[in-house]
Amino acid sequence: MGLGIVEKIIKEHLLKGKMISGEEITLKIDQTLTQDATGTMAYLQFEALGISKIKTELAVSYVDHNTIQTGFENADDHRYLQTAACKYGAYFSKAGNGICHQVHLERFAEPGKTLLGSDSHTPTAGGMGMLAIGAGGLDVAVAMGTCEYTMRYPKIIRINLEGKLNPWINAKDIILTILKMFGTKGNVGTIIEYGGSGLESLDVPERATITNMGAELGITTSIFPSDRLTKRFLLSQNRGDQWKELKADSDARYEKVININLAEIEPMLACPHSPGNVAPVKELIGKKVDQVIIGSCTNSSYNDLKTVAHIVKGHRIPQNMSFVVAPGSRQVLKMIADDGSLSTLINAGARIAECVCGFCIGNSHAPATGAVSIRTSNRNFKGRCGTQSASVFLSSPETAAACALSGVIYDPRDLKELVFPSFALPKKFHVDDTMIILPAPESKKTEIYKGPNIGEPPKNKPLFENINGKIAIKVGDEITTDHIIPAGSRLKYRSNIEKYSQFVFEGIGPSFPKQCKDNKSDGYSNIIVAGLSYGQGSSREHAAICPMYLGVKAVIAKSIERIHRTNLINFGILPLIFIKPDDYQHLNAGDIVEIRNIEKIITENAKLVLENKTKNVDIELKYDFTEKEKQIIVSGGLLNYIKRKDK
Ligand code: MIC
Ligand code: SF4
């Protein structure tokens, strides 16, 4: 029987385990990436592992998230990361060089290789035919030191994109359509492999827009074949020698095959407050828009920005509109500067932002109270933009530009006086890697710098035999990592867990940290109760580290998302699931609960019962730990586990 692309890459990288859906496998990791918001903790943990040198073929440390620098903290973190990269052997991409996923695609991604990144949008590199997976910083630190990553063998589904997109329709509309079909819940443990005749007209940056937002589906990753267009893209980035062909065998088998006719796709919008809340633009036409932002790792490529410039050329955006353009990388910025698009955008009234995450992570360009913002980014969770009352819609650059021009939600197909800008990718991109610092030779290695904001990674104790707990908070469905630990203005505390922990559940339960402290001093462990899809969104392990720091020992939910579940385990917090979802109603904040003999139960795969002492009811919970996960939990987290193993 033939193999698909995912199977081929996994087969070539399989270190342990069987290629059977659900089995635990260990993969060889070729490349890693970190960004500054998760990277400081990842490198602190790498240091704590006591490994002297990075072992993967390539590791890149990017600075793209925390660049606001309203105090010394961010700049100190950047310096720490630069010195850590120098000492351990990573490439260092300086602030201003671009967003990690955009730069990685341009300069480092290689077909057929594996990439583990401490950012949930790492699968962007799947557009290049890489098996690219997002994980917590500690998993990435371990991969840098051991070249290994353990996960469950995925379910692989195939989506055939057939035909051709109509004018004014962008790859973003494809992934929004897929999000409409699949939603953001219930896709855990799946990898999507793309194929079909439509690939002939989708260039690598367009494919990367699609794989980027696979993160919003909650899947492990998604991937495109490596073909003629991949080769052309690599050649245009002066990296033709890194091309290799990668295609599925014609008799490859998949769990499911879905066909999508590209000609039927129309402009789409993800409506507030979820990327899965998708509707056709035509249903929302005429709604007043206050802000339009083009950028983020989803849609900030050269062609995206050139297209936007073409649409607004010769016009001025309305006086009450705030129009922001953030190029994805320094390469993109230089190229729009050289071809005149930048000046077109400036003439139209655009505010040009840095080539960083910025607005997308909520640390700048927060909309006004109650404003409507159209963005080309990938997440519109309530409050993520920095304004709780704002309504954020996600769209293609074409739709966003049409809205910027008209001041209302507008279908780009109605821009009748404009010729559709079908730009081919340039034959040569502007290649200048001078803002990437190469790993230093042995003789030039410097000491690591740590500013006063950088603390030690917190330590955890091994699992208690009995959890005598109190429910510190009960939350609903689809609680994202942005709800658990906000980014935006709080981002600068990423390297200072004690301080950052004060903001856990800031938007939905601001008394949580105090509650945890009180429960702890009364002798209780803290418990979080949640509904469906807890921990959606980012890979930020702070959503587990900070609760761990506050004494949380278990999360009991109807379901928990993949990266967050692993992060909980990595920091010694039990992810437990209701067997009967209705039992959710039998647990409330303040209830005193007990679980006895946990280590014995999980090692013997026995029945796990939680006793709610306040309500006098027993609740059966399920868990599904691999052998390694059991040992990690019992040790009190991955760092303790590794140290114990090394003794
Ligand atoms: C995000 O888009 O939410 C982030 C910020 O890039 C996160 C990483 C982080 O929180 O540092 C992600 O997606 O993993
Ligand atoms: Fe940065 Fe936004 Fe992409 Fe996250 S989703 S990496 S914050 S641009």
Side-chain angles (χ1 to χ4, degrees), residues 287-320:
K287 188 177 176 60
K288 186 173 172 293
V289 174
D290 306 285
Q291 182 190 53
V292 169
I293 311 191
I294 316 285
S296 92
C297 57
T298 320
N299 272 124
S300 60
S301 70
Y302 174 56
N303 269 23
D304 285 336
L305 268 55
K306 208 172 152 186
T307 302
V308 171
H310 173 86
I311 295 172
V312 299
K313 190 168 182 158
H315 299 276
R316 275 210 58 93
I317 53 111
Q319 290 298 354
N320 292 336

PDB file of all heavy atoms in Angstrom, residues 287-320:
ATOM      1  N   LYS A 287     -22.164  46.928   7.027  1.00  0.00           N
ATOM      2  CA  LYS A 287     -21.908  47.197   8.449  1.00  0.00           C
ATOM      3  C   LYS A 287     -20.734  48.170   8.572  1.00  0.00           C
ATOM      4  O   LYS A 287     -19.698  47.987   7.933  1.00  0.00           O
ATOM      5  CB  LYS A 287     -21.588  45.872   9.152  1.00  0.00           C
ATOM      6  CG  LYS A 287     -21.491  45.975  10.640  1.00  0.00           C
ATOM      7  CD  LYS A 287     -21.239  44.588  11.236  1.00  0.00           C
ATOM      8  CE  LYS A 287     -21.026  44.623  12.734  1.00  0.00           C
ATOM      9  NZ  LYS A 287     -22.134  45.158  13.502  1.00  0.00           N
ATOM     10  N   LYS A 288     -20.887  49.181   9.422  1.00  0.00           N
ATOM     11  CA  LYS A 288     -19.846  50.216   9.553  1.00  0.00           C
ATOM     12  C   LYS A 288     -18.552  49.616  10.131  1.00  0.00           C
ATOM     13  O   LYS A 288     -18.583  48.811  11.054  1.00  0.00           O
ATOM     14  CB  LYS A 288     -20.370  51.320  10.468  1.00  0.00           C
ATOM     15  CG  LYS A 288     -19.442  52.497  10.558  1.00  0.00           C
ATOM     16  CD  LYS A 288     -20.110  53.635  11.338  1.00  0.00           C
ATOM     17  CE  LYS A 288     -19.107  54.744  11.597  1.00  0.00           C
ATOM     18  NZ  LYS A 288     -18.025  54.396  12.503  1.00  0.00           N
ATOM     19  N   VAL A 289     -17.452  50.037   9.560  1.00  0.00           N
ATOM     20  CA  VAL A 289     -16.133  49.545  10.005  1.00  0.00           C
ATOM     21  C   VAL A 289     -15.307  50.738  10.485  1.00  0.00           C
ATOM     22  O   VAL A 289     -15.265  51.774   9.830  1.00  0.00           O
ATOM     23  CB  VAL A 289     -15.413  48.832   8.836  1.00  0.00           C
ATOM     24  CG1 VAL A 289     -13.996  48.438   9.229  1.00  0.00           C
ATOM     25  CG2 VAL A 289     -16.199  47.598   8.386  1.00  0.00           C
ATOM     26  N   ASP A 290     -14.630  50.576  11.634  1.00  0.00           N
ATOM     27  CA  ASP A 290     -13.837  51.673  12.187  1.00  0.00           C
ATOM     28  C   ASP A 290     -12.342  51.481  11.983  1.00  0.00           C
ATOM     29  O   ASP A 290     -11.585  52.445  12.003  1.00  0.00           O
ATOM     30  CB  ASP A 290     -14.089  51.779  13.699  1.00  0.00           C
ATOM     31  CG  ASP A 290     -15.564  51.901  13.995  1.00  0.00           C
ATOM     32  OD1 ASP A 290     -16.104  52.980  13.781  1.00  0.00           O
ATOM     33  OD2 ASP A 290     -16.189  50.883  14.404  1.00  0.00           O
ATOM     34  N   GLN A 291     -11.927  50.245  11.855  1.00  0.00           N
ATOM     35  CA  GLN A 291     -10.493  49.988  11.765  1.00  0.00           C
ATOM     36  C   GLN A 291     -10.244  48.819  10.810  1.00  0.00           C
ATOM     37  O   GLN A 291     -11.003  47.850  10.804  1.00  0.00           O
ATOM     38  CB  GLN A 291      -9.981  49.601  13.160  1.00  0.00           C
ATOM     39  CG  GLN A 291      -8.489  49.342  13.219  1.00  0.00           C
ATOM     40  CD  GLN A 291      -8.061  48.736  14.556  1.00  0.00           C
ATOM     41  OE1 GLN A 291      -8.603  47.722  14.993  1.00  0.00           O
ATOM     42  NE2 GLN A 291      -7.080  49.357  15.203  1.00  0.00           N
ATOM     43  N   VAL A 292      -9.188  48.915  10.012  1.00  0.00           N
ATOM     44  CA  VAL A 292      -8.786  47.793   9.151  1.00  0.00           C
ATOM     45  C   VAL A 292      -7.287  47.576   9.362  1.00  0.00           C
ATOM     46  O   VAL A 292      -6.507  48.523   9.313  1.00  0.00           O
ATOM     47  CB  VAL A 292      -9.080  48.088   7.661  1.00  0.00           C
ATOM     48  CG1 VAL A 292      -8.409  47.055   6.756  1.00  0.00           C
ATOM     49  CG2 VAL A 292     -10.586  48.094   7.401  1.00  0.00           C
ATOM     50  N   ILE A 293      -6.904  46.331   9.623  1.00  0.00           N
ATOM     51  CA  ILE A 293      -5.470  46.056   9.807  1.00  0.00           C
ATOM     52  C   ILE A 293      -5.044  44.888   8.917  1.00  0.00           C
ATOM     53  O   ILE A 293      -5.655  43.810   8.929  1.00  0.00           O
ATOM     54  CB  ILE A 293      -5.100  45.719  11.260  1.00  0.00           C
ATOM     55  CG1 ILE A 293      -5.699  46.743  12.227  1.00  0.00           C
ATOM     56  CG2 ILE A 293      -3.582  45.668  11.397  1.00  0.00           C
ATOM     57  CD1 ILE A 293      -5.188  46.660  13.650  1.00  0.00           C
ATOM     58  N   ILE A 294      -4.003  45.161   8.135  1.00  0.00           N
ATOM     59  CA  ILE A 294      -3.436  44.125   7.261  1.00  0.00           C
ATOM     60  C   ILE A 294      -2.140  43.664   7.919  1.00  0.00           C
ATOM     61  O   ILE A 294      -1.275  44.490   8.220  1.00  0.00           O
ATOM     62  CB  ILE A 294      -3.074  44.706   5.866  1.00  0.00           C
ATOM     63  CG1 ILE A 294      -4.176  45.618   5.316  1.00  0.00           C
ATOM     64  CG2 ILE A 294      -2.641  43.618   4.897  1.00  0.00           C
ATOM     65  CD1 ILE A 294      -5.401  44.938   4.798  1.00  0.00           C
ATOM     66  N   GLY A 295      -1.993  42.384   8.116  1.00  0.00           N
ATOM     67  CA  GLY A 295      -0.738  41.896   8.695  1.00  0.00           C
ATOM     68  C   GLY A 295      -0.919  40.574   9.392  1.00  0.00           C
ATOM     69  O   GLY A 295      -1.902  39.860   9.141  1.00  0.00           O
ATOM     70  N   SER A 296       0.038  40.208  10.263  1.00  0.00           N
ATOM     71  CA  SER A 296       0.107  38.953  11.034  1.00  0.00           C
ATOM     72  C   SER A 296       0.711  37.831  10.206  1.00  0.00           C
ATOM     73  O   SER A 296       0.844  37.938   8.976  1.00  0.00           O
ATOM     74  CB  SER A 296      -1.255  38.495  11.569  1.00  0.00           C
ATOM     75  OG  SER A 296      -1.878  37.619  10.648  1.00  0.00           O
ATOM     76  N   CYS A 297       1.005  36.721  10.894  1.00  0.00           N
ATOM     77  CA  CYS A 297       1.654  35.596  10.206  1.00  0.00           C
ATOM     78  C   CYS A 297       0.726  34.917   9.201  1.00  0.00           C
ATOM     79  O   CYS A 297       1.159  34.044   8.451  1.00  0.00           O
ATOM     80  CB  CYS A 297       2.182  34.597  11.224  1.00  0.00           C
ATOM     81  SG  CYS A 297       0.930  33.961  12.359  1.00  0.00           S
ATOM     82  N   THR A 298      -0.548  35.307   9.147  1.00  0.00           N
ATOM     83  CA  THR A 298      -1.483  34.663   8.209  1.00  0.00           C
ATOM     84  C   THR A 298      -1.455  35.319   6.831  1.00  0.00           C
ATOM     85  O   THR A 298      -1.465  34.634   5.812  1.00  0.00           O
ATOM     86  CB  THR A 298      -2.937  34.755   8.743  1.00  0.00           C
ATOM     87  OG1 THR A 298      -2.921  34.543  10.137  1.00  0.00           O
ATOM     88  CG2 THR A 298      -3.836  33.757   8.089  1.00  0.00           C
ATOM     89  N   ASN A 299      -1.455  36.635   6.792  1.00  0.00           N
ATOM     90  CA  ASN A 299      -1.619  37.342   5.511  1.00  0.00           C
ATOM     91  C   ASN A 299      -0.794  38.617   5.494  1.00  0.00           C
ATOM     92  O   ASN A 299      -1.326  39.732   5.545  1.00  0.00           O
ATOM     93  CB  ASN A 299      -3.082  37.745   5.304  1.00  0.00           C
ATOM     94  CG  ASN A 299      -3.924  36.690   4.634  1.00  0.00           C
ATOM     95  OD1 ASN A 299      -4.940  36.296   5.191  1.00  0.00           O
ATOM     96  ND2 ASN A 299      -3.530  36.238   3.449  1.00  0.00           N
ATOM     97  N   SER A 300       0.515  38.487   5.430  1.00  0.00           N
ATOM     98  CA  SER A 300       1.347  39.689   5.382  1.00  0.00           C
ATOM     99  C   SER A 300       2.487  39.478   4.404  1.00  0.00           C
ATOM    100  O   SER A 300       3.560  40.037   4.551  1.00  0.00           O
ATOM    101  CB  SER A 300       1.897  39.992   6.769  1.00  0.00           C
ATOM    102  OG  SER A 300       2.670  38.893   7.210  1.00  0.00           O
ATOM    103  N   SER A 301       2.257  38.633   3.403  1.00  0.00           N
ATOM    104  CA  SER A 301       3.309  38.325   2.431  1.00  0.00           C
ATOM    105  C   SER A 301       3.406  39.476   1.421  1.00  0.00           C
ATOM    106  O   SER A 301       2.541  40.362   1.367  1.00  0.00           O
ATOM    107  CB  SER A 301       2.977  37.019   1.705  1.00  0.00           C
ATOM    108  OG  SER A 301       1.872  37.227   0.861  1.00  0.00           O
ATOM    109  N   TYR A 302       4.421  39.405   0.602  1.00  0.00           N
ATOM    110  CA  TYR A 302       4.636  40.454  -0.399  1.00  0.00           C
ATOM    111  C   TYR A 302       3.406  40.609  -1.296  1.00  0.00           C
ATOM    112  O   TYR A 302       2.895  41.711  -1.495  1.00  0.00           O
ATOM    113  CB  TYR A 302       5.893  40.124  -1.209  1.00  0.00           C
ATOM    114  CG  TYR A 302       6.126  41.053  -2.365  1.00  0.00           C
ATOM    115  CD1 TYR A 302       6.222  42.437  -2.153  1.00  0.00           C
ATOM    116  CD2 TYR A 302       6.239  40.569  -3.665  1.00  0.00           C
ATOM    117  CE1 TYR A 302       6.433  43.304  -3.217  1.00  0.00           C
ATOM    118  CE2 TYR A 302       6.453  41.429  -4.727  1.00  0.00           C
ATOM    119  CZ  TYR A 302       6.539  42.797  -4.502  1.00  0.00           C
ATOM    120  OH  TYR A 302       6.730  43.652  -5.548  1.00  0.00           O
ATOM    121  N   ASN A 303       2.898  39.493  -1.820  1.00  0.00           N
ATOM    122  CA  ASN A 303       1.754  39.601  -2.729  1.00  0.00           C
ATOM    123  C   ASN A 303       0.495  40.111  -2.032  1.00  0.00           C
ATOM    124  O   ASN A 303      -0.300  40.837  -2.628  1.00  0.00           O
ATOM    125  CB  ASN A 303       1.476  38.255  -3.414  1.00  0.00           C
ATOM    126  CG  ASN A 303       2.235  38.155  -4.723  1.00  0.00           C
ATOM    127  OD1 ASN A 303       3.238  38.846  -4.909  1.00  0.00           O
ATOM    128  ND2 ASN A 303       1.766  37.309  -5.630  1.00  0.00           N
ATOM    129  N   ASP A 304       0.328  39.737  -0.753  1.00  0.00           N
ATOM    130  CA  ASP A 304      -0.834  40.239   0.001  1.00  0.00           C
ATOM    131  C   ASP A 304      -0.789  41.768   0.049  1.00  0.00           C
ATOM    132  O   ASP A 304      -1.789  42.451  -0.210  1.00  0.00           O
ATOM    133  CB  ASP A 304      -0.820  39.703   1.444  1.00  0.00           C
ATOM    134  CG  ASP A 304      -1.228  38.233   1.536  1.00  0.00           C
ATOM    135  OD1 ASP A 304      -1.926  37.761   0.629  1.00  0.00           O
ATOM    136  OD2 ASP A 304      -0.856  37.574   2.518  1.00  0.00           O
ATOM    137  N   LEU A 305       0.377  42.292   0.388  1.00  0.00           N
ATOM    138  CA  LEU A 305       0.483  43.753   0.564  1.00  0.00           C
ATOM    139  C   LEU A 305       0.438  44.488  -0.771  1.00  0.00           C
ATOM    140  O   LEU A 305      -0.126  45.578  -0.882  1.00  0.00           O
ATOM    141  CB  LEU A 305       1.759  44.098   1.351  1.00  0.00           C
ATOM    142  CG  LEU A 305       1.525  44.199   2.866  1.00  0.00           C
ATOM    143  CD1 LEU A 305       0.891  42.966   3.458  1.00  0.00           C
ATOM    144  CD2 LEU A 305       2.802  44.549   3.598  1.00  0.00           C
ATOM    145  N   LYS A 306       1.014  43.856  -1.789  1.00  0.00           N
ATOM    146  CA  LYS A 306       0.984  44.467  -3.115  1.00  0.00           C
ATOM    147  C   LYS A 306      -0.468  44.564  -3.619  1.00  0.00           C
ATOM    148  O   LYS A 306      -0.886  45.558  -4.232  1.00  0.00           O
ATOM    149  CB  LYS A 306       1.804  43.562  -4.058  1.00  0.00           C
ATOM    150  CG  LYS A 306       2.423  44.287  -5.203  1.00  0.00           C
ATOM    151  CD  LYS A 306       3.350  43.374  -5.951  1.00  0.00           C
ATOM    152  CE  LYS A 306       3.384  43.855  -7.383  1.00  0.00           C
ATOM    153  NZ  LYS A 306       4.123  43.015  -8.266  1.00  0.00           N
ATOM    154  N   THR A 307      -1.225  43.517  -3.327  1.00  0.00           N
ATOM    155  CA  THR A 307      -2.636  43.501  -3.722  1.00  0.00           C
ATOM    156  C   THR A 307      -3.411  44.609  -3.004  1.00  0.00           C
ATOM    157  O   THR A 307      -4.210  45.334  -3.621  1.00  0.00           O
ATOM    158  CB  THR A 307      -3.260  42.119  -3.375  1.00  0.00           C
ATOM    159  OG1 THR A 307      -2.502  41.130  -4.053  1.00  0.00           O
ATOM    160  CG2 THR A 307      -4.711  42.024  -3.777  1.00  0.00           C
ATOM    161  N   VAL A 308      -3.157  44.759  -1.719  1.00  0.00           N
ATOM    162  CA  VAL A 308      -3.847  45.811  -0.953  1.00  0.00           C
ATOM    163  C   VAL A 308      -3.491  47.179  -1.538  1.00  0.00           C
ATOM    164  O   VAL A 308      -4.363  48.038  -1.743  1.00  0.00           O
ATOM    165  CB  VAL A 308      -3.465  45.717   0.550  1.00  0.00           C
ATOM    166  CG1 VAL A 308      -3.997  46.928   1.319  1.00  0.00           C
ATOM    167  CG2 VAL A 308      -4.018  44.429   1.146  1.00  0.00           C
ATOM    168  N   ALA A 309      -2.197  47.374  -1.851  1.00  0.00           N
ATOM    169  CA  ALA A 309      -1.769  48.667  -2.411  1.00  0.00           C
ATOM    170  C   ALA A 309      -2.485  48.915  -3.740  1.00  0.00           C
ATOM    171  O   ALA A 309      -2.956  50.028  -4.012  1.00  0.00           O
ATOM    172  CB  ALA A 309      -0.255  48.666  -2.609  1.00  0.00           C
ATOM    173  N   HIS A 310      -2.616  47.874  -4.555  1.00  0.00           N
ATOM    174  CA  HIS A 310      -3.303  48.008  -5.840  1.00  0.00           C
ATOM    175  C   HIS A 310      -4.755  48.464  -5.630  1.00  0.00           C
ATOM    176  O   HIS A 310      -5.267  49.314  -6.362  1.00  0.00           O
ATOM    177  CB  HIS A 310      -3.262  46.657  -6.566  1.00  0.00           C
ATOM    178  CG  HIS A 310      -4.073  46.616  -7.817  1.00  0.00           C
ATOM    179  ND1 HIS A 310      -3.580  47.031  -9.026  1.00  0.00           N
ATOM    180  CD2 HIS A 310      -5.353  46.207  -8.036  1.00  0.00           C
ATOM    181  CE1 HIS A 310      -4.522  46.881  -9.953  1.00  0.00           C
ATOM    182  NE2 HIS A 310      -5.606  46.378  -9.375  1.00  0.00           N
ATOM    183  N   ILE A 311      -5.397  47.904  -4.608  1.00  0.00           N
ATOM    184  CA  ILE A 311      -6.814  48.230  -4.373  1.00  0.00           C
ATOM    185  C   ILE A 311      -6.990  49.678  -3.897  1.00  0.00           C
ATOM    186  O   ILE A 311      -7.918  50.371  -4.316  1.00  0.00           O
ATOM    187  CB  ILE A 311      -7.443  47.223  -3.372  1.00  0.00           C
ATOM    188  CG1 ILE A 311      -7.457  45.816  -3.984  1.00  0.00           C
ATOM    189  CG2 ILE A 311      -8.859  47.636  -2.965  1.00  0.00           C
ATOM    190  CD1 ILE A 311      -7.865  44.704  -3.045  1.00  0.00           C
ATOM    191  N   VAL A 312      -6.070  50.136  -3.027  1.00  0.00           N
ATOM    192  CA  VAL A 312      -6.289  51.498  -2.470  1.00  0.00           C
ATOM    193  C   VAL A 312      -5.601  52.584  -3.309  1.00  0.00           C
ATOM    194  O   VAL A 312      -5.725  53.769  -2.993  1.00  0.00           O
ATOM    195  CB  VAL A 312      -5.825  51.599  -0.988  1.00  0.00           C
ATOM    196  CG1 VAL A 312      -6.598  50.633  -0.109  1.00  0.00           C
ATOM    197  CG2 VAL A 312      -4.322  51.370  -0.844  1.00  0.00           C
ATOM    198  N   LYS A 313      -4.914  52.173  -4.353  1.00  0.00           N
ATOM    199  CA  LYS A 313      -4.137  53.139  -5.158  1.00  0.00           C
ATOM    200  C   LYS A 313      -5.014  54.305  -5.656  1.00  0.00           C
ATOM    201  O   LYS A 313      -6.092  54.094  -6.213  1.00  0.00           O
ATOM    202  CB  LYS A 313      -3.519  52.418  -6.362  1.00  0.00           C
ATOM    203  CG  LYS A 313      -2.530  53.295  -7.080  1.00  0.00           C
ATOM    204  CD  LYS A 313      -1.721  52.492  -8.069  1.00  0.00           C
ATOM    205  CE  LYS A 313      -0.751  53.484  -8.676  1.00  0.00           C
ATOM    206  NZ  LYS A 313       0.385  52.885  -9.230  1.00  0.00           N
ATOM    207  N   GLY A 314      -4.520  55.515  -5.396  1.00  0.00           N
ATOM    208  CA  GLY A 314      -5.229  56.693  -5.900  1.00  0.00           C
ATOM    209  C   GLY A 314      -6.415  57.107  -5.050  1.00  0.00           C
ATOM    210  O   GLY A 314      -7.132  58.041  -5.389  1.00  0.00           O
ATOM    211  N   HIS A 315      -6.660  56.380  -3.944  1.00  0.00           N
ATOM    212  CA  HIS A 315      -7.795  56.737  -3.071  1.00  0.00           C
ATOM    213  C   HIS A 315      -7.279  57.156  -1.702  1.00  0.00           C
ATOM    214  O   HIS A 315      -6.156  56.841  -1.331  1.00  0.00           O
ATOM    215  CB  HIS A 315      -8.710  55.524  -2.857  1.00  0.00           C
ATOM    216  CG  HIS A 315      -9.311  55.008  -4.117  1.00  0.00           C
ATOM    217  ND1 HIS A 315     -10.450  55.537  -4.672  1.00  0.00           N
ATOM    218  CD2 HIS A 315      -8.927  54.006  -4.942  1.00  0.00           C
ATOM    219  CE1 HIS A 315     -10.744  54.880  -5.780  1.00  0.00           C
ATOM    220  NE2 HIS A 315      -9.827  53.940  -5.972  1.00  0.00           N
ATOM    221  N   ARG A 316      -8.143  57.825  -0.939  1.00  0.00           N
ATOM    222  CA  ARG A 316      -7.822  58.081   0.464  1.00  0.00           C
ATOM    223  C   ARG A 316      -8.880  57.377   1.294  1.00  0.00           C
ATOM    224  O   ARG A 316     -10.065  57.420   0.984  1.00  0.00           O
ATOM    225  CB  ARG A 316      -7.851  59.582   0.763  1.00  0.00           C
ATOM    226  CG  ARG A 316      -6.535  60.259   0.430  1.00  0.00           C
ATOM    227  CD  ARG A 316      -6.296  61.450   1.330  1.00  0.00           C
ATOM    228  NE  ARG A 316      -6.288  61.088   2.749  1.00  0.00           N
ATOM    229  CZ  ARG A 316      -5.185  60.774   3.431  1.00  0.00           C
ATOM    230  NH1 ARG A 316      -4.005  60.772   2.845  1.00  0.00           N
ATOM    231  NH2 ARG A 316      -5.256  60.484   4.701  1.00  0.00           N
ATOM    232  N   ILE A 317      -8.416  56.704   2.327  1.00  0.00           N
ATOM    233  CA  ILE A 317      -9.408  56.000   3.144  1.00  0.00           C
ATOM    234  C   ILE A 317     -10.213  57.041   3.945  1.00  0.00           C
ATOM    235  O   ILE A 317      -9.723  58.133   4.203  1.00  0.00           O
ATOM    236  CB  ILE A 317      -8.745  54.922   4.039  1.00  0.00           C
ATOM    237  CG1 ILE A 317      -7.605  55.521   4.852  1.00  0.00           C
ATOM    238  CG2 ILE A 317      -8.234  53.745   3.254  1.00  0.00           C
ATOM    239  CD1 ILE A 317      -7.918  55.574   6.277  1.00  0.00           C
ATOM    240  N   PRO A 318     -11.467  56.714   4.322  1.00  0.00           N
ATOM    241  CA  PRO A 318     -12.325  57.705   4.993  1.00  0.00           C
ATOM    242  C   PRO A 318     -11.682  58.276   6.255  1.00  0.00           C
ATOM    243  O   PRO A 318     -10.894  57.600   6.917  1.00  0.00           O
ATOM    244  CB  PRO A 318     -13.579  56.901   5.343  1.00  0.00           C
ATOM    245  CG  PRO A 318     -13.536  55.675   4.514  1.00  0.00           C
ATOM    246  CD  PRO A 318     -12.115  55.415   4.160  1.00  0.00           C
ATOM    247  N   GLN A 319     -12.051  59.487   6.605  1.00  0.00           N
ATOM    248  CA  GLN A 319     -11.443  60.184   7.750  1.00  0.00           C
ATOM    249  C   GLN A 319     -11.631  59.440   9.070  1.00  0.00           C
ATOM    250  O   GLN A 319     -10.777  59.493   9.944  1.00  0.00           O
ATOM    251  CB  GLN A 319     -12.061  61.598   7.887  1.00  0.00           C
ATOM    252  CG  GLN A 319     -11.672  62.561   6.780  1.00  0.00           C
ATOM    253  CD  GLN A 319     -10.158  62.825   6.738  1.00  0.00           C
ATOM    254  OE1 GLN A 319      -9.414  62.386   7.590  1.00  0.00           O
ATOM    255  NE2 GLN A 319      -9.707  63.548   5.719  1.00  0.00           N
ATOM    256  N   ASN A 320     -12.739  58.727   9.218  1.00  0.00           N
ATOM    257  CA  ASN A 320     -12.978  58.081  10.513  1.00  0.00           C
ATOM    258  C   ASN A 320     -12.419  56.668  10.600  1.00  0.00           C
ATOM    259  O   ASN A 320     -12.704  55.941  11.539  1.00  0.00           O
ATOM    260  CB  ASN A 320     -14.484  58.015  10.792  1.00  0.00           C
ATOM    261  CG  ASN A 320     -15.030  59.394  11.022  1.00  0.00           C
ATOM    262  OD1 ASN A 320     -14.275  60.292  11.409  1.00  0.00           O
ATOM    263  ND2 ASN A 320     -16.316  59.574  10.754  1.00  0.00           N
TER     264      ASN A 320
END
